[in-house]
Each structure stands twice: as structure tokens, then as C-alpha cells.
Amino acid sequence: MDGCLREKRLCLMDRDAKFTTAFRTLLAGAGIERFMRSIKSECLGRMIFFGEDSLRRAVREYVAHYHTERNHQGLGNSIIVPASSQAGVHDRR
């Protein structure tokens, strides 16, 4: 299964029992489940969206914030994309 998660973009589980503990552990090890909890609690759960465009805009802005501005405890309170490599990150709209 090594590398297969990099090719996938979405995995909606909604607490479905068919997803095994081993599969959930694999996702957690790749950091995917933690990201979903973060975006739900820090972004999606705090806003009302009026159409797909507003949702996409909010997700795009959150992902930029998540990578370039937000400290991550699992990474020793560091930022995923350090300031030296942030040039042009916010210009990808």
C-alpha cells in the first residue's frame, strides 16, 4: 500500500463500519484523519456556504493557512512550509 494514498484525493468514511481499524490506522499514519478533523473544526464547522464556489474558496484558503501559517504539534510546533519556501504559495488562485 506504500504510496497509494498520495494518488487519492478523497475518502469519505462517515463512521462506516466497513472501514477496518487497520485501514483507519493507515490513514492516521499518513496524517489524513487528523487533517479532516482540523478542517472540520477550524473551518467548515464555523461557516455557512452559499454554493460550491464559496466552499472551494474556504477550503483553498484553509489549506494555504494549514501549510504556511499554522503550527503543528505533531511536527514540534513547526510550520509545514517554512517561511523561506513560502514564496508564491498564496498566489495559486
Side-chain angles (χ1 to χ4, degrees), residues 17-55:
K18 69 183 170 192
F19 294 101
T20 65
T21 302
F23 181 72
R24 289 177 187 275
T25 302
L26 178 69
L27 292 180
I32 294 171
E33 283 192 340
R34 180 67 203 134
F35 174 77
M36 292 306 295
R37 283 195 311 266
S38 295
I39 195 169
K40 284 181 180 181
S41 68
E42 297 173 15
C43 178
L44 302 178
R46 298 172 182 243
M47 301 178 76
I48 297 173
F49 301 102
F50 297 99
E52 184 178 343
D53 288 341
S54 65
L55 172 63

Side-chain angles (χ1 to χ4, degrees), residues 8 11-12 14 23 28-30 43-44 49 60 68-70 78 82 84 88 92:
K8 305 302 178 205
C11 179
L12 302 176
D14 294 330
F23 181 72
C43 178
L44 302 178
F49 301 102
R60 184 175 53 243
T68 62
E69 300 169 347
R70 182 182 182 277
S78 64
S84 61
R92 295 183 197 163

